Amino acid sequence: MLSENELKILEFLKSVKKSNSDEIAKRTGLETNSVLSLLELLASKGYVRIERINVEQYELTEEGKKRKEEGLPEDILINILKGKEKSLDEIKELLRDDYNIAISWARRKGLIKIEQGKVIPKFNEYRSKEFEALISLENADKETLALLERRGLIIRKQRAILQVELIREPQANDIGITYLTHELLVTGDWTKYKFRKYNVRAFPPFYPLAKKHYFKEFLEKVKDVMISLGFKEVNTNYIEMEFYNFDLLFQPQDHPAREIHDSFSVEGKGKLTDKELLENVKRIHEQSWNYTWSQEISLRLMLRSQATATTARVLASRPKAPLKSFTIGKVFRPDSIDATHLIEFHQLDGLIIDDNFTFRDLLGVLKEIFYRLNIKEVKFKPAYFPFTEPSVEVYGYLGKLGWVEMCGAGLLRPEILEAVNIKSRAGAWGMGLERIAMHFLNINDIRLLYSNNIEYIREMKESE
Amino acid sequence: MVTIVLNKYKLLNPLKISESELEELLFNLKSEMKPLDENSVEIEINADRLDLLHSAGIIRAIKGLLNIEVGESKYKVVKTDYKLIVNDVKSRPYALGAIVYGLENLDLQELIQFQEKLHSTIGRKRKKVAIGIHNLDKIDSKEILYKYVSLNHKFVPLNYSEEMSVKDVIIKTEQGKLYGEISILDERSPAIIQNDGQILSLPPIINSEKTKLTEKTKNLFIDVTGTSFDAVAQTLDLIVTNLAEAGGTIGIVETKIGENVISSPLLIHNLVQTNKDYISNILGFNTEICPQIMRMRMNCEDDGKVIKVLTPPYRIDVKKEIDLVEDVAMGIGYNNLGIPKYSATSYGEYDELSLLERKIRDLSIGANFTEVFNFVLIKDSKLLENDYVKIVNPISVEYNAIRNSLLPVLLDFLSRNQHARFPVRVFEIGDVVIRSNDTDVGYTNDKRIGYAIMDSRVSFEELQSPLHYILKTLGIEPIYEEVTDNIFMEGRVAQIKHMNKVIGILGEVNPLVLNKFKIEYPVVLGEVYLRRLKY
């Protein structure tokens, strides 16, 4: 099997039969060094016979290179004198460092006479044999080369070259080429060649494979489950009035969850134009909890602390039954950030309004949602939330984690339905999604759901 | 959720049940039990069932579920000649007193825990309600007063050996530091005192050493003070009924508030009426109501039409008809209701923007960008535009603002990934928050998609090209216009326009900005505003 470069060399040798590495390099355009190693390879494959010979070679020294550029000092001397005599001092001024060399070689070669401190040239112009030799070393005679060497203008070096003789011509099926090209296909030449084998067992270089984000994909899957169950998606803003986050959901204004360390506040006040709704909420709070309800407090802005704020907005729009809606959204709560806590996370919140909706129906919906999320076993625990009655917490069985609390739910309290003039019954629920995602993604540090390390994201495996 | 710690044998022995049965029964009473060590368990109680904050209350409830005792638990109540005279205390106007006689083997630790848990729940950290529990036998007068005392008034506070002025109690004691300021008004503090002026307690701060409880204490005087009469009365009812359940006898204290005389504790009973259909229709489950209500330790009468429930003083959470529904369901057991199979009879509907988001995510993957998912909260100094929402009460400087663009989020991400294998090609789709006059809160979420490429060499076109074809596939014909923007390099940034609207921006990042994020490689960055593509 032959590579393209090996083939190039053999093609050249076919015409000349004998050559050497220097000539091959020159004719094929390959680097001398690669020609040497390619020839070794070809010899080992039996295509050529090689013989290593050392050749002598002259190279210019630093001074030699200078003289080749400028001329030899004695040549310069004759050429500036132009047949006229000049004093030694004048010449010293003109030639400076080269003065001694120029005078001594010009005298030795009999080019000048020196009389009474004056130089008298014997020729009008002069070009020495050594200079000719410097310009083309290969054409210089031995004597001149020896002279140049003595003058320190050239240096003798030994170098190995390979003498090559072709002993076997390449056959069509010897040839291995790397790329199948358009040209090979259209000329049909591909039939002449063999394609080089790769080391297919070697691992490939890095490939930056684009991927969807694992946690985002989980959230999308939850969305699909809700859609498949016939729910309509709704979304509202992160910045919310306390009215929708708390008041409409029947949380009294002195409820512990409304304290400053339990939600993030934002400067400014919201606007509520629905006078009837405001009055209803005020009346219901004051009747039920026996305190003076403050509209100012309810207009304060915050980062929503529960996705139920979105459900509250849906309720405030006084929808007609039957209605099934859901939201998957970010909520924010001050907390320490560690392996199990974040200050922003996702909740799924759902709402069903239907005339004959029952508590058992609600349990059925919840069970079905969890089943479709691949949590097949659930149990229900009585619970307490300000806005639902009866209330329930759903526990799901998560293999090695055992029973885990996952969702709070219940039928909306009559007080809330009254405030928004809904005559039907309504069920609602909210669940955190991070913990369930961690289970299915096999992640045990919640922060990894939002990893800012691209290598972690790249290495993430597809979940089942 | 409130957590209490109990010796498990206090529950297991009288009820004669196993630990796992106890756990199951507590689960059905909204509570979760976890073992702590050989003898003690930790029980999480739901905030509405304050009657379960004491072992006596738990035993009472479980006896009902096990049909050992049903209906309201009846307690011995006797009259006494103790009086509590409530003066005009503006900063903390309500006070009620009660006596409990004849307690055996008082579990002081549990009593203090009960008191503290009531303080933190219904008491709103003693602001709304505070409780003082005294050794009755150490009180010298039958007449007890609730009134302001001056800050110079002296007494020995609980667990101290020397007299201190009220002022010093507030400054020097731990309780004083925590609760001292709550009810002080005009240099005076509310106090429960004997008629000779000796302080028994300083609500809501501390009791006196004089009436300190010991394991041998048998008779208690209890004062409850606060800013809400209902909460004060309910708290006292909860305490005395649980101590009575544990074997005590309730003693009535005559409480005088102005002209009114109240027998306290009030032992409030509310009549709640309902009917069988109301409950069955809501539950979707047909059953006899009264037997279940009785198992939940309430009395119940059913005349065939109307069901009358007289709620006992320990069930302050049951106020209305709807509240009975849950108790009936709990009586039956949520997991015994028989769950119907739910089947969808309507079609679901995605939010329009969600569908666009999915399409553009798919196309971005096709353009070989990896999706990243970062926090919405960010450090304000990382933001590149000045108009943003600041959090008033952040818990960390790293997260004190809400992102107003995805560009700084992506730059921050890149700065952390300079040692990753190159090229780094990422995108993020998500909400930022910007000012808006169209919403009732003055701000709106704005869904955006941001793209970034970091490599040893990048170019404007390297991002423009994929972005262009993503947009074209979405049916948009983008136009690019030269613009000046400090985030990007002069002459290497373009606004992306569609139908005369700016729908995004892209360009090579200005080295000054790269320096700010400590990024040592060139970056090309872009952002598209999704809402403007469709609306």
Side-chain angles (χ1 to χ4, degrees):
Chain A
M1 184 69 67
L2 295 166
S3 72
E4 277 158 283
N5 286 340
E6 288 169 343
L7 190 63
K8 239 182 208 172
I9 293 170
L10 293 178
E11 287 293 321
F12 167 69
L13 286 174
K14 250 159 79 177
S15 56
V16 293
K17 305 296 178 212
K18 280 185 182 177
S19 181
N20 62 57
S21 50
D22 279 0
E23 190 182 17
I24 292 170
K26 212 167 175 181
R27 301 292 294 270
T28 59
L30 295 167
E31 290 279 335
T32 311
N33 279 338
S34 36
V35 169
L36 291 175
S37 55
L38 287 165
L39 287 173
E40 302 268 11
L41 267 174
L42 286 171
S44 73
K45 289 178 183 174
Y47 288 95
V48 296
R49 184 179 299 130
I50 52 174
E51 191 186 343
R52 182 177 296 274
I53 51 167
N54 289 324
V55 289
E56 277 192 352
Q57 200 177 352
Y58 290 99
E59 273 175 26
L60 297 179
T61 63
E62 281 308 305
E63 195 189 345
K65 284 178 194 163
K66 185 180 172 224
R67 301 300 176 212
K68 183 183 171 188
E69 286 292 308
E70 299 171 1
L72 291 170
E74 64 267 26
D75 295 20
I76 296 169
L77 175 65
I78 301 303
N79 293 334
I80 55 175
L81 288 175
K82 291 196 180 101
K84 300 194 176 102
E85 56 180 56
K86 265 194 167 68
S87 73
L88 280 171
D89 287 346
E90 273 179 293
I91 290 165
K92 201 170 193 173
E93 188 69 25
L94 285 165
L95 296 180
R96 292 172 180 273
D97 290 351
D98 287 344
Y99 166 77
N100 283 332
I101 304 171
I103 295 295
S104 75
W105 278 100
R107 277 174 75 180
R108 197 185 297 181
K109 288 186 179 173
L111 304 174
I112 55 167
K113 272 199 311 205
I114 299 177
E115 279 174 11
Q116 292 162 351
K118 284 196 172 153
V119 176
I120 303 152
K122 292 183 177 172
F123 302 92
N124 289 339
E125 53 186 46
Y126 177 71
R127 191 175 163 98
S128 61
K129 222 163 50 172
E130 295 100 302
F131 181 68
E132 298 287 349
L134 279 179
I135 287 168
S136 75
L137 280 177
E138 53 271 35
N139 297 325
D141 58 48
K142 268 190 180 164
E143 245 173 86
T144 315
L145 286 172
L147 184 60
L148 283 174
E149 197 179 0
R150 259 186 285 131
R151 286 186 70 168
L153 300 181
I154 59 171
I155 187 162
R156 198 182 343 192
K157 280 201 172 160
Q158 288 220 332
R159 189 168 69 88
I161 62 166
L162 294 177
Q163 293 284 6
V164 188
E165 186 185 348
L166 184 69
I167 54 175
R168 182 181 141 202
E169 291 207 357
Q171 306 300 307
N173 58 2
D174 286 347
I175 301 157
I177 53 177
T178 306
Y179 297 107
L180 176 62
T181 61
H182 170 68
E183 284 72 22
L184 289 175
L185 284 166
V186 294
T187 55
D189 280 355
W190 64 271
T191 53
K192 295 185 190 162
Y193 304 113
K194 258 200 174 172
F195 291 89
R196 199 160 64 79
K197 279 189 177 178
Y198 298 141
N199 178 7
V200 292
R201 296 168 69 171
F203 285 112
F206 168 64
Y207 188 80
L209 182 71
K211 281 197 234 181
K212 289 186 183 172
H213 195 275
Y214 45 95
F215 182 39
K216 193 104 185 170
E217 280 295 272
F218 175 81
L219 295 175
E220 291 296 316
K221 181 183 154 188
V222 177
K223 196 178 277 184
D224 286 342
V225 165
M226 295 310 295
I227 297 290
S228 75
L229 288 170
F231 286 77
K232 179 182 161 50
E233 184 188 4
V234 285
N235 288 303
T236 61
N237 293 321
Y238 294 156
I239 307 235
E240 191 51 280
M241 277 178 254
E242 287 199 17
F243 184 81
Y244 291 105
N245 200 81
F246 295 126
D247 294 285
L248 186 53
L249 297 170
F250 207 51
Q251 291 205 24
Q253 295 185 326
D254 76 336
H255 192 277
R258 296 181 73 152
E259 284 187 20
I260 191 80
H261 53 265
D262 278 324
S263 48
F264 287 119
S265 336
V266 168
E267 293 263 347
K269 291 251 180 272
K271 283 184 295 219
L272 268 174
T273 49
D274 190 337
K275 289 275 180 307
E276 190 200 337
L277 185 60
L278 271 173
E279 272 161 29
N280 285 348
V281 167
K282 180 180 170 68
R283 177 171 44 80
I284 288 160
H285 271 246
E286 295 189 343
Q287 277 174 7
S288 305
W289 305 107
N290 203 7
Y291 73 105
T292 310
W293 184 79
S294 150
Q295 183 175 324
E296 277 300 290
I297 292 177
S298 76
L299 297 180
R300 292 193 302 213
L301 298 184
M302 62 181 295
L303 286 176
R304 66 182 182 204
S305 66
Q306 48 186 352
T308 316
T310 303
T311 299
R313 289 247 174 203
V314 174
L315 289 170
S317 73
R318 297 185 177 80
K320 289 203 170 52
L323 171 112
K324 292 198 284 182
S325 72
F326 78 100
T327 188
I328 291 173
K330 256 290 163 68
V331 301
F332 305 83
R333 288 184 199 170
D335 206 335
S336 53
I337 299 176
D338 58 31
T340 51
H341 299 91
L342 290 176
I343 55 176
E344 50 173 282
F345 51 95
H346 290 82
Q347 284 187 336
L348 159 68
D349 225 76
L351 172 68
I352 295 187
I353 304 174
D354 206 340
D355 287 347
N356 296 313
F357 193 65
T358 69
F359 186 62
R360 278 175 81 231
D361 292 335
L362 174 67
L363 301 184
V365 174
L366 295 170
K367 189 174 178 177
E368 186 64 25
I369 292 172
F370 279 101
Y371 191 87
R372 293 193 186 198
L373 288 174
N374 211 16
I375 297 166
K376 307 263 154 103
E377 259 187 285
V378 294
K379 64 179 183 181
F380 299 105
K381 180 184 159 192
Y384 169 72
F385 306 107
F387 41 99
T388 52
E389 189 78 24
S391 303
V392 56
E393 273 171 8
V394 187
Y395 279 62
Y397 192 74
L398 294 185
K400 56 179 187 272
L401 293 177
W403 289 103
V404 176
E405 190 242 305
M406 292 183 163
C407 169
L411 295 182
L412 288 179
R413 289 196 70 97
E415 292 89 341
I416 295 172
L417 296 176
E418 190 192 325
V420 292
N421 301 328
I422 291 174
K423 307 276 182 258
S424 319
R425 281 196 288 269
W429 59 93
M431 59 200 257
L433 296 175
E434 267 76 356
R435 196 149 51 149
I436 302 174
M438 282 165 74
H439 169 71
F440 285 113
L441 294 167
N442 213 3
I443 286 174
N444 48 26
D445 186 328
I446 194 168
R447 291 166 291 196
L448 292 174
L449 291 177
Y450 300 89
S451 172
N452 52 28
N453 177 354
I454 190 154
E455 294 295 0
Y456 180 84
I457 296 168
R458 283 168 171 167
E459 299 293 326
M460 192 68 189
K461 304 290 182 288
E462 282 293 317
S463 60
E464 289 142 36
Chain B
M1 286 288 181
V2 205
T3 306
I4 57 169
V5 175
L6 289 179
N7 182 321
K8 66 183 176 192
Y9 297 107
K10 279 195 93 161
L11 302 173
L12 297 180
N13 292 345
L15 291 167
K16 301 187 179 62
I17 52 174
S18 71
E19 202 168 329
S20 63
E21 283 169 316
L22 175 63
E23 192 180 341
E24 184 69 25
L25 286 158
L26 283 170
F27 187 84
N28 290 319
L29 286 168
K30 312 188 174 182
S31 309
E32 213 171 349
M33 182 181 104
K34 270 194 301 212
L36 270 190
D37 57 42
E38 238 173 272
N39 294 317
S40 25
V41 287
E42 191 181 75
I43 305 174
E44 254 188 20
I45 305 291
N46 238 303
D48 62 331
R49 289 299 300 266
L50 302 178
D51 57 311
L52 303 179
L53 290 173
H54 190 277
S55 59
I58 295 176
I59 291 167
R60 176 176 56 217
I62 289 180
K63 278 180 174 171
L65 288 180
L66 295 175
N67 297 310
I68 298 171
E69 283 175 21
V70 296
E72 177 174 347
S73 198
K74 285 289 175 205
Y75 307 120
K76 232 165 133 188
V77 182
V78 296
K79 288 199 165 161
T80 75
D81 46 5
Y82 282 91
K83 286 187 171 61
L84 176 67
I85 296 161
V86 178
N87 286 9
D88 189 11
V89 178
K90 284 203 172 55
S91 58
R92 200 171 184 83
Y94 305 106
L96 289 174
I99 287 167
V100 177
Y101 291 111
L103 291 165
E104 299 291 332
N105 307 320
L106 189 63
D107 184 341
L108 260 186
Q109 217 179 331
E110 197 192 344
L111 185 60
I112 291 166
Q113 170 174 272
F114 186 35
Q115 181 186 13
E116 282 312 310
K117 297 298 170 180
L118 289 171
H119 275 157
S120 65
T121 51
I122 190 170
R124 303 284 195 261
K125 297 190 178 132
R126 304 194 189 188
K127 270 187 219 134
K128 201 171 176 185
V129 176
I131 304 155
I133 305 178
H134 311 266
N135 183 345
L136 178 71
D137 303 332
K138 297 284 169 127
I139 298 176
D140 308 316
S141 70
K142 299 282 179 179
E143 199 175 68
I144 296 158
L145 306 165
Y146 176 57
K147 59 184 285 192
Y148 279 123
V149 294
S150 97
L151 297 188
N152 299 320
H153 206 108
K154 288 190 171 174
F155 76 111
V156 183
L158 187 63
N159 297 328
Y160 283 79
S161 50
E162 280 165 32
E163 272 205 334
M164 281 164 104
S165 68
V166 171
K167 192 176 218 161
D168 280 349
V169 168
I170 291 165
I171 298 167
K172 292 179 180 165
T173 66
E174 200 184 320
Q175 278 103 323
K177 286 173 196 157
L178 286 170
Y179 311 108
E181 295 303 319
I182 295 176
S183 297
I184 301 286
L185 182 74
D186 300 334
E187 298 288 299
R188 294 173 306 163
S189 170
I192 300 277
I193 61 175
Q194 296 186 169
N195 59 7
D196 64 359
Q198 282 193 67
I199 292 182
L200 302 179
S201 65
L202 205 62
I205 309 166
I206 198 164
N207 272 18
S208 69
E209 178 70 9
K210 175 181 167 64
T211 57
K212 182 178 184 170
L213 304 179
T214 70
E215 257 94 21
K216 289 180 184 142
T217 304
K218 296 206 167 357
N219 306 317
L220 307 178
F221 174 76
I222 300 151
D223 73 73
V224 179
T225 60
T227 55
S228 151
F229 181 79
D230 288 352
V232 167
Q234 288 170 348
T235 305
L236 189 59
D237 279 358
L238 283 167
I239 297 170
V240 297
T241 51
N242 270 2
L243 292 174
E245 183 74 31
T249 300
I250 299 169
I252 299 287
V253 173
E254 205 171 85
T255 303
K256 271 188 79 175
I257 304 176
E259 296 303 305
N260 299 324
V261 177
I262 302 167
S263 291
S264 139
L266 276 66
L267 299 174
I268 301 160
H269 288 74
N270 283 320
L271 177 67
V272 182
Q273 296 197 53
T274 184
N275 62 65
K276 189 173 178 224
D277 285 351
Y278 175 81
I279 292 180
S280 304
N281 286 346
I282 291 178
L283 285 182
F285 189 85
N286 215 342
T287 187
E288 282 304 311
I289 304 303
C290 270
Q292 300 304 345
I293 294 285
M294 306 248 317
R295 291 177 68 232
M296 301 308 284
R297 304 312 306 269
M298 290 179 269
N299 285 344
C300 182
E301 274 178 46
D302 185 353
D303 66 4
K305 281 184 186 160
V306 180
I307 292 171
K308 290 181 181 171
V309 178
L310 204 56
T311 65
Y314 46 84
R315 285 303 302 275
I316 63 168
D317 58 309
V318 181
K319 294 190 185 85
K320 299 178 185 173
E321 198 179 5
I322 186 69
D323 299 328
L324 293 173
V325 181
E326 185 173 88
D327 272 78
V328 172
M330 284 168 73
I332 299 161
Y334 280 16
N335 295 295
N336 302 326
L337 286 170
I339 312 301
K341 167 92 178 136
Y342 173 81
S343 47
T345 50
S346 55
Y347 294 104
E349 194 183 326
Y350 290 97
D351 184 299
E352 199 183 345
L353 222 45
S354 286
L355 291 176
L356 175 63
E357 180 175 337
R358 284 195 175 180
K359 284 179 197 152
I360 203 166
R361 282 175 74 218
D362 281 340
L363 293 170
S364 303
I365 298 295
N368 205 19
F369 289 91
T370 285
E371 187 173 28
V372 297
F373 198 15
N374 292 296
F375 291 131
V376 167
L377 301 179
I378 193 167
K379 188 179 195 166
D380 58 355
S381 62
K382 287 177 184 165
L383 293 173
L384 300 164
E385 292 160 61
N386 280 329
D387 200 11
Y388 59 86
V389 181
K390 206 171 165 56
I391 294 173
V392 175
N393 56 335
I395 53 149
S396 150
V397 289
E398 290 302 311
Y399 306 102
N400 60 4
I402 305 163
R403 64 190 188 185
N404 56 4
S405 160
L406 292 173
L407 300 178
V409 177
L410 289 176
L411 286 170
D412 191 40
F413 183 91
L414 294 179
S415 79
R416 297 165 195 274
N417 285 285
Q418 300 184 68
H419 301 295
R421 290 167 293 180
F422 274 20
V424 176
R425 297 169 61 96
V426 292
F427 79 98
E428 172 159 2
I429 193 157
D431 283 317
V432 308
V433 174
I434 54 172
R435 211 172 275 283
S436 163
N437 294 323
D438 303 333
T439 69
D440 53 10
V441 289
Y443 298 97
T444 183
N445 281 26
D446 194 31
K447 199 176 282 294
R448 298 182 175 189
I449 185 160
Y451 295 91
I453 304 172
M454 173 170 72
D455 205 345
S456 47
R457 211 166 67 177
V458 298
S459 76
F460 179 82
E461 276 187 349
E462 214 173 324
L463 178 56
Q464 189 194 21
S465 216
L467 193 46
H468 185 76
Y469 288 96
I470 287 170
L471 291 171
K472 274 179 79 86
T473 308
L474 292 170
I476 285 151
E477 292 296 334
I479 290 169
Y480 305 91
E481 281 182 9
E482 210 178 312
V483 69
T484 306
D485 189 311
N486 290 338
I487 300 169
F488 300 99
M489 290 170 77
E490 179 88 46
R492 296 186 176 195
V493 47
Q495 264 183 353
I496 311 167
K497 282 185 145 183
H498 169 61
M499 311 217 307
N500 288 324
K501 270 186 302 187
V502 178
I503 56 164
I505 192 162
L506 90 145
E508 293 180 23
V509 179
N510 190 318
L512 287 172
V513 175
L514 294 177
N515 279 342
K516 177 182 153 92
F517 284 88
K518 298 193 168 65
I519 297 175
E520 296 175 342
Y521 298 91
V523 170
V524 56
L525 201 58
E527 185 173 41
V528 174
Y529 320 130
L530 294 198
R531 277 204 304 200
R532 301 201 199 166
L533 300 184
K534 287 289 166 193
Y535 306 106

